[in-house]
Amino acid sequence: EYCHWHHSNLRSITKAYFRVFTIPHPLITPDVINLYKKQANTSLKIIENTYLKSSSSGFLLGTDYPTAADFMAYEEAAQISPQFGNIHNLEEFPRVRAWLENMSLLPFHDEVHAGLRALGNLTSADPLIADRLRSASKIGVKAIVEAQKQCRVASKL
């Protein structure tokens, strides 16, 4: 059930909203960005008031551990948060903010998200965004490769 909802709702944060800040296009006007912002707000309200409202565990489906739903949703919501792209104010979503913090404490979070962190704040126009994307992608891949090496070493102990 969650996966179907995710694909038709929360996924639009990446397909539209985040994308307009990383792939400039002359047809993307402030009105278009505001439309995507409203769509993101609608999806985040559902996460806040449906999936997280009844969860005592802090994870979307009420489990004591993160599920595929948490990992899928986290990627969409985190990239627009102040922690990474900083393109969306999450003040009105206290449960979402707490859940994002909870997810950020998982093992290898920082390594997996090194690329997003390197990409940084997307709120200002940047004519060199393609260079930032390329550099951030390289940093992200390098961090993941290093984390995989750590896992292999740890598993041999």
Side-chain angles (χ1 to χ4, degrees), residues 48 52 82 89-103:
E48 177 83 10
L52 291 173
N89 184 340
L90 300 177
E91 284 302 311
E92 69 179 279
F93 307 107
R95 289 184 198 101
V96 169
R97 290 193 326 268
W99 167 72
L100 288 171
E101 176 64 26
N102 196 23
M103 291 292 290

Side-chain angles (χ1 to χ4, degrees), residues 34-71:
N34 283 333
L35 173 67
Y36 294 150
K37 183 179 181 177
K38 287 179 186 176
Q39 289 174 343
N41 266 338
T42 298
S43 292
L44 290 168
K45 283 178 186 172
I46 291 170
I47 293 287
E48 177 83 10
N49 297 319
T50 302
Y51 290 102
L52 291 173
K53 186 175 185 176
S54 60
S55 174
S56 61
S57 70
F59 294 112
L60 292 183
L61 302 181
T63 58
D64 293 332
Y65 49 85
T67 65
D70 291 286
F71 289 111

Side-chain angles (χ1 to χ4, degrees), residues 11 81 114 127 131 133 138:
R11 184 73 182 122
S81 74
D131 292 337
L133 282 168
K138 289 176 183 177

Side-chain angles (χ1 to χ4, degrees), residues 81-116:
S81 74
Q83 182 182 8
F84 295 117
N86 195 32
I87 60 176
H88 200 84
N89 184 340
L90 300 177
E91 284 302 311
E92 69 179 279
F93 307 107
R95 289 184 198 101
V96 169
R97 290 193 326 268
W99 167 72
L100 288 171
E101 176 64 26
N102 196 23
M103 291 292 290
S104 75
L105 299 175
L106 293 173
F108 297 104
H109 171 274
D110 293 345
E111 292 84 352
V112 171
H113 295 90
L116 273 178

Side-chain angles (χ1 to χ4, degrees), residues 1 6-7 11 14 18-19 48 57 60-61 66 70 79 93 114-115 117 121 150:
E1 181 181 317
H6 176 91
H7 179 71
R11 184 73 182 122
T14 297
F18 183 77
R19 184 177 175 192
E48 177 83 10
S57 70
L60 292 183
L61 302 181
D70 291 286
Q79 66 189 350
F93 307 107
R117 189 169 313 286
N121 190 326
Q150 289 175 21

